[in-house]
Amino acid sequence: QVQLVESGGGLVQAGGSLRVSCAASGRTSINYAMGWFRQAPGKEREFVAAISLSSGRTSYADSVKGRFTISKDNAKNTVYLQMNSLKPEDTAVYYCAADSYGQYPLGYRVGNYDYWGQGTQVTVSS
C-alpha cells in the first residue's frame, strides 16, 4: 500500500504563485510515476502533470505548460507542483496520484494511477 498526503494549497491572487507538495509513504519503491490531477466543482478530474520517478521525465497538460513545473525529491519521497502565473480557472482541488504498474508511462488518464491522496484546495482570486 502507498499513502499520499498533499499539502500547500491555499488562496492566491491571479498572477501569483503557489507550490503544493505530495509526500508518499508505505511501499514507495513500487511506484513508477507520480502525477497531479485537479477537479473543479461540477467538472471531471483532469490531468495536470506527471513525472517518472526513475528518469525524471515529465509530461504536462497543455493548459498548464510553461506555467507549472513538477519535480521530485526521491530522498524525501515527495513530489512538488510549482504553479506560477496562476489564473482563476486553475481553481480546483489538486490531487496527487501514484502509478505502481508503469503500464502507461506518464499516463494522463485517471485510470493510469492506482493510489490517490485526499486532495488540497487551490483557489485563485481574480
Side-chain angles (χ1 to χ4, degrees):
Q1 291 291 324
V2 177
Q3 294 79 43
L4 304 174
V5 179
E6 302 97 334
S7 61
L11 174 65
V12 63
Q13 288 188 332
S17 298
L18 202 62
R19 188 178 79 162
V20 290
S21 303
C22 173
S25 61
R27 297 183 62 193
T28 57
S29 61
I30 65 174
N31 294 332
Y32 287 89
M34 301 286 288
W36 284 98
F37 286 72
R38 65 187 183 186
Q39 188 167 17
K43 294 188 176 182
E44 294 187 352
R45 193 169 297 190
E46 65 174 5
F47 172 76
V48 175
I51 186 167
S52 167
L53 297 181
S54 57
S55 68
R57 190 165 62 97
T58 58
S59 176
Y60 296 92
D62 288 342
S63 59
V64 306
K65 203 170 291 184
R67 300 188 298 123
F68 290 11
T69 302
I70 188 171
S71 62
K72 63 184 178 70
D73 185 334
N74 286 354
K76 296 182 179 180
N77 291 321
T78 300
V79 173
Y80 306 95
L81 184 68
Q82 176 67 43
M83 303 180 287
N84 298 329
S85 302
L86 282 161
K87 306 174 182 180
E89 50 264 43
D90 293 319
T91 295
V93 176
Y94 282 71
Y95 295 91
C96 174
D99 170 16
S100 68
Y101 291 104
Q103 184 176 6
Y104 301 101
L106 301 182
Y108 60 90
R109 300 181 189 275
V110 170
N112 295 145
Y113 299 83
D114 45 337
Y115 295 101
W116 293 84
Q118 82 289 348
T120 184
Q121 176 71 47
V122 172
T123 302
V124 184
S125 63
S126 57

